[in-house]
Amino acid sequence: MTVTEIREFNRFYTNLIGALDYSRHLYTPYSLTEARVLYELAHSPGLDAADLRASLTVDAGQLSRLLLRFEQDGLVVRERSATDARRQYVTLTAAGREAAELLEERSRESVQALLDRVPDAERPRLAEALGTVRALFGDPDQAPAADPARSRTRGAGTDTPAPRVRLRAPGPGDLGWVVRRHGVLYAREYGWDARFEAMVARIAADFGADHDTAVERLWIAEVDGEPAGSVLCVRDSAPATARLRLLLVEPSARGLGVGERLVSECVAFARAAGYRELVLWTNGNLHAARRLYRRAGFTLTSESPHRSYGADLVGQDWHLIL
């Protein structure tokens, strides 16, 4: 594989989907960037400008001008956070939701027209190829390509059995696994030093030494019998409040819904245990985790810059009323 081959593919694909003339391609007045912003706002309510910049990797000035134009056109409303004046939340108006729905409909029609050109027998091969590209280039929401040894033949094509995902209580060695995998993955993906692993070790040790199973719980996610993730629910210092901690999803399990299942299980347990609120603390650069929290109904309530684990970070508090 060479740089030239990738550039040739990029030119082919941008022409194929009409990226260079997106508004004419979909018969809408919006550019590709504008359409992406509307999509994000429609599918992740409660976003702020910083969230949009991070998820779309768009220039702050360009995004500000785009949002101003949307506001003038009556598509969005912007307002300052009541708890942090530095944050500006962006919400679609009724007209904005209508525009986003129209874009969604026409985008689906366009993609369906492309897919109609691919024979049914070839579609599994197309899906595998797309997944391989995403995984190899580090998409955090995409699981790596399936191991060919797990595939089975069906008709003229191949079909990979769906991975078996289950959540279970921790067994011997699982606390050590949680600590080790946090240390390894966060060092590899974010460059955090051993102080982060030490913090995780303290949390795991406190839970292992003394916890009430009626109101505190740790789950281990397995994919095909192998540990692939974790989440912890423990009592917080505030009355009737639980805290979500130690959420982890192995790279090999990303894209399988493991993170969403872990968060949902934690929320359901906290509610059933009688807590009135579930809280968590995370960092602003953990984008995949933040998307999971937002989809589960958590709201970002405050944030503050700090330096920890050898990195400059922005700590965030998230709350969910149960």
Side-chain angles (χ1 to χ4, degrees):
M1 173 64 71
T2 66
V3 170
T4 298
E5 288 173 306
I6 292 179
R7 294 185 65 195
E8 287 176 350
F9 176 81
N10 288 344
R11 289 193 293 271
F12 162 76
Y13 190 66
T14 51
N15 286 334
L16 183 68
I17 65 172
L20 300 181
D21 196 1
Y22 192 78
S23 59
R24 187 175 65 84
H25 182 71
L26 292 189
Y27 304 102
T28 72
Y30 305 110
S31 68
L32 179 58
T33 302
E34 291 169 336
R36 280 297 310 278
V37 170
L38 288 171
Y39 177 90
E40 293 295 332
L41 291 172
H43 289 79
S44 299
L47 285 177
D48 61 24
D51 291 327
L52 287 169
R53 286 198 303 272
S55 61
L56 299 176
T57 61
V58 66
D59 175 74
Q62 180 187 6
L63 179 62
S64 179
R65 291 188 296 272
L66 187 156
L67 291 176
L68 176 61
R69 188 161 61 252
F70 278 178
E71 193 172 34
Q72 292 170 342
D73 291 343
L75 301 179
V76 303
V77 173
R78 292 188 288 178
E79 54 186 9
R80 294 288 177 185
S81 167
T83 57
D84 188 345
R86 295 169 300 178
R87 302 195 72 86
Q88 185 181 72
Y89 290 99
V90 186
T91 307
L92 288 176
T93 63
R97 288 192 296 273
E98 183 178 344
E101 289 170 1
L102 176 63
L103 280 166
E104 179 76 9
E105 178 183 345
R106 292 186 177 173
S107 179
R108 285 182 175 276
E109 291 173 352
S110 176
V111 173
Q112 186 61 55
L114 282 177
L115 196 55
D116 288 343
R117 295 159 54 179
V118 181
D120 289 346
E122 294 296 325
R123 293 185 185 185
R125 191 160 66 96
L126 174 63
E128 182 179 356
L130 294 176
T132 298
V133 171
R134 290 176 58 187
L136 289 176
F137 281 102
D139 185 344
D141 294 328
Q142 176 64 32
D147 182 349
R150 292 172 53 197
S151 298
R152 66 172 182 265
T153 302
R154 185 179 69 181
T158 61
D159 178 54
T160 302
R164 300 183 302 277
V165 178
R166 77 178 185 107
L167 306 187
R168 61 167 175 81
D174 281 330
L175 287 177
W177 178 86
V178 170
V179 174
R180 180 177 184 276
R181 295 310 294 163
H182 270 82
V184 170
L185 291 178
Y186 279 81
R188 179 188 304 162
E189 297 181 356
Y190 301 103
W192 293 2
D193 62 26
R195 285 171 286 188
F196 175 71
E197 186 174 354
M199 182 194 70
V200 174
R202 286 192 294 270
I203 295 171
D206 288 344
F207 176 81
D210 181 25
H211 67 275
D212 182 348
T213 56
V215 291
E216 297 179 301
R217 197 73 60 86
L218 171 67
W219 294 267
I220 300 296
E222 286 186 345
V223 175
D224 291 340
E226 296 295 326
S230 66
V231 74
L232 175 65
C233 182
V234 293
R235 276 185 294 203
D236 192 60
S237 57
T241 302
R243 182 167 291 273
L244 184 154
R245 311 194 82 168
L246 304 186
L247 177 66
L248 175 78
V249 178
E250 285 280 355
S252 60
R254 293 170 188 170
L256 302 179
V258 172
E260 191 162 1
R261 284 190 60 177
L262 286 166
V263 173
S264 296
E265 188 73 15
C266 185
V267 170
F269 172 78
R271 186 174 288 121
Y275 292 110
R276 292 199 298 268
E277 188 174 16
L278 181 61
V279 301
L280 65 90
W281 182 86
T282 188
N283 283 286
N285 63 328
L286 306 183
H287 303 303
R290 292 169 59 209
R291 286 195 293 271
L292 288 174
Y293 301 144
R294 184 173 285 109
R295 286 202 294 268
F298 284 87
T299 300
L300 175 63
T301 55
S302 67
E303 63 178 1
S304 176
H306 66 105
R307 182 167 180 82
S308 301
Y309 327 127
D312 292 320
L313 303 167
V314 177
Q316 298 181 335
D317 289 296
W318 293 69
H319 291 239
L320 173 64
I321 302 299
L322 299 172

